[in-house]
Amino acid sequence: MMTTERGGEGERERERGPRKVMAFGLLRRLLSVVLLLDGMRVLRGFLASPGSRSVFLPLRRVVLSSQVATMEKEEIDPGVIAGLEIVKYPHPSLRARSEEVAEADFGDAEKIARRMLALMYEANGVGLAAPQVGVNKRLMVFNPEGKKEKWLDEVILLNPKIVDASAGTDVGTEGCLSFPGMSGDVARRKWIKVEATSTKGKTIRKKYQGWVARIFQHEYDHLDGTVYIDHLPDHQRKDIQPALDDLINAFAGPKDDIAL
């Protein structure tokens, strides 16, 4: 009888076991929710305090300064690389509207693009448009990293066009390999949607924003005969005018070909 009584208690204990586990699990979940709500309340209070700005603003500055550092990396004139050379203002190709690349020329365009990338890296640039090497075709190359070891980030676009863009703009500092030693503040669309063709004839559709959108818009301008100095505020344009005059005086081509 005693054995039978102990067996009954064991059965009841085994029945109570799962209920205890379920109750403990519910208690843990309830405690987690309470801690989460309390943590959110503390975080909201911290973010509302003036001291929180000193914590988060430096992080934002680091991100922005890394972009500026890439964009303001000192450019150099490497001379002739892979048979190409960067033309300087006021070379007439910088003011000419470029023609579309014909499908029959896609193969040749890829060869030129590869040479342009080699030249771009040697010049410490992040982008280059065909008019900058004296070729008035709608071809651009860029690499937002500006490093040839980051070749997976290379972009080659034929006949690109902007199909949509943000209403808002951002102002950022820009320079140009065709305007050595100069820079200025330029407003660009925050994001853009583009269509282009690859050197293999495939349609490319992309949305670029931020730093990459700025690079694209800068190079795209070149294809229409627009240069970054056209976007500068009057006072900045006036500041760089002496440097522009030096480039004009140093231009080796016929003066009749100058396009300001």
Side-chain angles (χ1 to χ4, degrees):
M1 299 290 293
M2 202 58 135
T3 302
T4 304
E5 181 65 18
R6 287 177 181 170
E9 290 179 357
E11 291 296 331
R12 285 192 294 272
E13 184 63 28
R14 282 193 293 271
E15 290 174 0
R16 287 195 296 266
R19 288 197 289 269
K20 288 182 179 179
V21 172
M22 291 176 61
F24 182 68
L26 290 172
L27 182 61
R28 287 183 60 185
R29 292 193 186 104
L30 180 59
L31 181 60
S32 298
V33 171
V34 171
L35 290 174
L36 177 61
L37 292 174
D38 188 59
M40 292 176 65
R41 179 183 59 79
V42 172
L43 180 60
R44 283 197 298 269
F46 172 72
L47 292 175
S49 67
S52 67
R53 293 177 58 83
S54 64
V55 175
F56 288 102
L57 284 181
L59 296 179
R60 182 172 180 271
R61 291 193 189 102
V62 170
V63 173
L64 291 179
S65 64
S66 69
Q67 274 195 353
V68 172
T70 304
M71 186 163 49
E72 294 183 350
K73 185 177 180 181
E74 184 177 357
E75 77 278 358
I76 61 173
D77 183 356
V80 179
I81 301 294
L84 298 178
E85 186 175 10
I86 297 171
V87 302
K88 309 296 189 299
Y89 179 84
H91 194 284
S93 70
L94 295 175
R95 286 302 190 185
R97 183 175 175 82
S98 296
E99 300 176 352
E100 289 203 348
V101 181
E103 186 175 354
D105 297 328
F106 284 2
D108 290 337
E110 181 172 12
K111 295 176 183 178
I112 293 176
R114 294 298 172 189
R115 292 159 61 195
M116 288 170 59
L117 284 166
L119 177 59
M120 180 192 80
Y121 291 133
E122 291 298 322
N124 291 336
V126 295
L128 199 62
Q132 291 182 272
V133 294
V135 178
N136 284 114
K137 294 293 183 179
R138 301 188 77 79
L139 161 65
M140 69 164 71
V141 302
F142 61 87
N143 183 336
E145 296 293 329
K147 301 175 182 178
K148 55 186 173 184
E149 58 267 27
K150 299 283 189 178
W151 57 272
L152 288 174
D153 295 316
E154 292 176 353
V155 178
I156 299 174
L157 299 177
L158 306 181
N159 305 328
K161 57 184 178 181
I162 297 175
V163 296
D164 197 8
S166 67
T169 59
D170 276 329
V171 176
T173 302
E174 291 186 20
C176 182
L177 297 175
S178 295
F179 293 80
M182 299 175 231
S183 63
D185 297 333
V186 177
R188 299 286 187 188
R189 301 292 182 178
K190 292 183 178 182
W191 59 261
I192 52 174
K193 291 182 179 180
V194 308
E195 290 183 1
T197 305
S198 74
T199 56
K200 305 302 182 185
K202 295 183 178 180
T203 300
I204 299 172
R205 294 183 177 88
K206 292 284 187 179
K207 179 179 180 179
Y208 296 128
Q209 54 190 5
W211 173 232
V212 184
R214 178 171 294 276
I215 296 172
F216 179 96
Q217 290 172 84
H218 180 107
E219 305 308 333
Y220 186 78
D221 270 355
H222 278 299
L223 306 183
D224 289 333
T226 301
V227 289
Y228 94 99
I229 63 172
D230 298 336
H231 300 291
L232 295 181
D234 290 342
H235 69 280
Q236 289 190 3
R237 177 64 183 263
K238 186 178 297 185
D239 289 342
I240 65 169
Q241 191 58 51
L244 294 176
D245 292 339
D246 289 342
L247 288 177
I248 293 171
N249 294 330
F251 180 63
K255 298 304 180 183
D256 291 341
D257 289 344
I258 290 180
L260 305 178

